[in-house]
Amino acid sequence: MINAPKGTKDMLPSESYKWQAVEKAAKKIAALYNAKQIRTPVFEHAELFLRSIGDSTDIVNKEMYIFDDKGGRKMALRPEGTAGVVRAVLENNVIETLPQKLFYIEGVYRYEQPQAGRYREHHQFGAEFFGSALPCFEVELLGLAHDFLREIGFNDLLLKINSIGCNKCRAQYNAALREFLSGVHDSICGDCKRRAEVNPLRTLDCKVPSCQEIYKNAPRISDYLCDDCKAHHAAVLKGLDDIGIKYVEDKNLVRGLDYYTRTVFELCDGDMAVLGGGRYDGLCEQLGGKPTPCVGFGCGIERLIAAAEAHGVKFDNPQPKVFVAAQSDEARNTCLKIVKTLRDMGVTAECDLMGKSLKAQFKHADRQGFVYVMTIGESELSSGVYSLKNMNSGEVISVNAKDLSAIKDL
Ligand code: HAM
């Protein structure tokens, strides 16, 4: 037996309705915001991720699936969605007209230590908005995230929000953080010693508990924001207040990717981040495009489904409608014709394809959750009147063979 790779999960037929409900909600809400879908390759030149996510991040340093292709090019499976979308948008001039609002639903690959809610392949519903430096851009994006979760029936996530400033205020903050880190140098982990030199901000999302304890006393970025960044942050919060989105300010939130500027946020269920994102005004330019302010988020679908179910959300699981059971072999062709007619009307229908007995067909229909079973035998074929049994109530109704459209409205 060959098993699934460690850290991956099959989406089984018994669960696919949950994924379909999430994807349907994502597409419905994205359309209401006039966001268009984008798909990018599952692999890209590894360089793209080094240059965007940052070579001091765990994602790039420890977690990328990286390989040489047969032509000797260094490639990587995408460890997140934003870099590929920005690359595609620049390469195809999608941002000639602004703003552009894009969304995606895709697999993401990170070589992590698998545990609850942490996989090596996970899936994200993500949105990336290109073009505006105004605070209303964050508000619009968080509005989409909020409406998406509400559509699923899930309003219990806590929005944590912070500003990590722009390059100008970050320089001063980095200097203060470096000074703090040199004072605790002997007590922090080896990774943090390296981070302290390359990119001190990265130390703050170290997962080692003793480091986390030490960083509780680290200087906070919020004390170093320039006036423009402070005003921007206040305007984002005011915009959220105005549209009734609740949040808490989390001054320790820095996120694990290097491309963010100013606003960063996470929607959490307890300690588990279900959705995260922020503003990334420098990334387009960094990847060779025109300076273009952007905001975006990624929502982990596995985590979202688990958190929603833990909070009692029931995903829409439509029942199939009519099973057409054959009482005799002569009736089987008629059953095939009836299911075709029903499907042409948009009614979910199935008939026996296994040569089962009538009793076994009823059992199958019941297990599959069909609402009605229509039995076709000699008397139905001669009378042209079919009876339908409601499998929930036991009630039996008759329909005329010439008027199957009546079933549509049942
Ligand atoms: P991220 O926070 O790394 O951000 O991932 C977004 C979401 O993906 C997380 O909140 C979490 O729900 C889910 N996730 C991440 N890693 C795993 C994992 N190993 N197993 C299961 N779920 C996971 C990004 O990826 C950014 N690209 C978000 C973004 C878009 N920022 C701007 N635009």
Side-chain angles (χ1 to χ4, degrees), residues 127-166:
E128 312 292 351
F129 288 4
F130 293 80
S132 177
L134 299 176
C136 59
F137 224 31
E138 280 96 330
V139 178
E140 173 89 337
L141 180 86
L142 284 165
L144 193 161
H146 179 265
D147 291 353
F148 161 63
L149 294 168
R150 194 185 50 189
E151 178 70 17
I152 289 174
F154 191 24
N155 293 315
D156 301 325
L157 293 180
L158 179 66
L159 171 61
K160 298 179 183 172
I161 190 161
N162 193 22
S163 173
I164 57 166
C166 60

Side-chain angles (χ1 to χ4, degrees), residues 4 27 88-89 99 109 150 165 221 234 244 306 357 379 393:
K27 287 178 183 165
V89 152
Y109 304 85
R150 194 185 50 189
I221 182 79
S357 69
S379 67
S393 66

Side-chain angles (χ1 to χ4, degrees), residues 79-101:
E80 60 105 48
T82 311
V85 170
V86 172
R87 197 258 324 128
V89 152
L90 296 177
E91 193 172 332
N92 298 287
N93 274 330
V94 176
I95 50 174
E96 247 171 8
T97 55
L98 291 171
Q100 279 290 338
K101 298 179 190 167

